[in-house]
Amino acid sequence: MTLHDDDFRRQSDRTVDNLRSLYAILFALSLGLALTGTYDKVHAALIGQNFNAVSLAHHGLVTLSFLVTLSLFHYQTDRYMDVAYRGAGLLGVRPPIFLLDLVRGLLSMAPIYLMAQALGAAPFQQVGFTWYVLAAAVFLLSNTLFLSWAAVRGRPPANSVPDLIVGRIEALRVFWLLLNSACMVLLFAIYSLFRSAGEVCPARGEEGLQVGFVAAFCLVLITRDMIDISQSWPILHPAAPGSEPVAPGRLLTWLERADRRRWIRALALVLALAIVILSVQAGLWDILAVTRNCMSV
């Protein structure tokens, strides 16, 4: 390696590390907000002497779903930057594509930050978990849209990143796209079921069927994250020195072909678009109306 190559590699690594530090700051802010909100709610419950095991378990499940989602997203964003850019530096990476990845990561953190804000004591007193549920839905939708953007392409043949790794990253992106779309379909079906049972604001989560909806919502999020990490681990987690990397699962291996990815990407986007249209028809995107309904319950 020449001095020029060594200097270029150091600059590339520094750029990636700076981006990872930025994501780490957003992660820390969101985590701090969530923990502060948890403390405020526990403190208020103890002072008001209305603390009970069911409420504790319910709030604990919601907080757990947030912590799992936040931690997984931070880990995967960090590892994605490493796998996609650190191996060969920024050589041959088209600037617009790199910018898209940067913007995608930053904008994807915005709904997570809102989820953390929604876990505070004041928002819960006003509308329960409604804003948390809406922010989580926006998080899934925004990631679905961002994953439909172009991925890291255009690397020259001399680049040290094998085509196999690039193909696996592409397959993983399409897998995320499909997983998020399927999760949105399931969550909307659960919401519709509880609305049909007579719940005006299922996401409030304070009594009756509302508790069941919020619990089901959080369990879907946690299950989605467990499926995600089990499938993405062989691609994003580095193998031990001298050992062979673990082969991806059957679905990711099947998605390594470009023609299959095109069809699955189209299917996932159609599902996401259908859910958006149904949500608009159900009035879910009129946030002011949703808030008024939940405050009046």
Side-chain angles (χ1 to χ4, degrees), residues 27-42:
F27 169 84
L29 289 173
S30 300
L31 179 62
L33 283 172
L35 295 180
T36 300
T38 299
Y39 169 80
D40 290 340
K41 286 185 288 187
V42 171

Side-chain angles (χ1 to χ4, degrees), residues 192-271:
S192 300
L193 179 63
F194 277 83
R195 281 293 299 269
S196 65
E199 285 294 336
V200 177
C201 183
R204 188 170 181 88
E206 289 186 308
E207 58 185 11
L209 295 178
Q210 297 174 5
V211 177
F213 170 79
V214 174
F217 186 93
C218 293
L219 289 174
V220 170
L221 285 184
I222 294 174
T223 302
R224 178 232 170 268
D225 292 338
M226 295 299 101
I227 295 174
D228 186 349
I229 195 170
S230 66
Q231 294 296 311
S232 63
W233 185 268
I235 297 176
L236 294 180
H237 187 72
S243 64
E244 291 293 329
V246 179
R250 291 184 178 181
L251 179 57
L252 286 175
T253 302
W254 186 80
L255 286 172
E256 288 179 6
R257 283 182 47 177
D259 58 333
R260 293 171 177 170
R261 290 198 298 268
R262 285 194 294 269
W263 283 105
I264 296 300
R265 181 181 287 112
L267 172 62
L269 290 176
V270 167
L271 290 176

Side-chain angles (χ1 to χ4, degrees), residues 119-132:
L119 289 177
F124 177 76
Q125 291 175 355
Q126 294 173 342
V127 293
F129 294 110
T130 301
W131 291 341
Y132 176 81

Side-chain angles (χ1 to χ4, degrees), residues 145-190:
L145 296 177
F146 296 145
L147 287 168
S148 66
W149 292 358
V152 181
R153 301 188 186 95
R155 297 180 182 276
N159 202 310
S160 61
V161 176
D163 290 339
L164 177 62
I165 300 300
V166 175
R168 286 182 174 177
I169 293 177
E170 289 288 320
L172 183 58
R173 288 170 59 92
V174 175
F175 169 75
W176 283 335
L177 184 64
L178 180 61
L179 182 62
N180 287 345
S181 296
C183 189
M184 290 168 58
V185 171
L186 180 57
L187 290 176
F188 184 80
I190 294 174

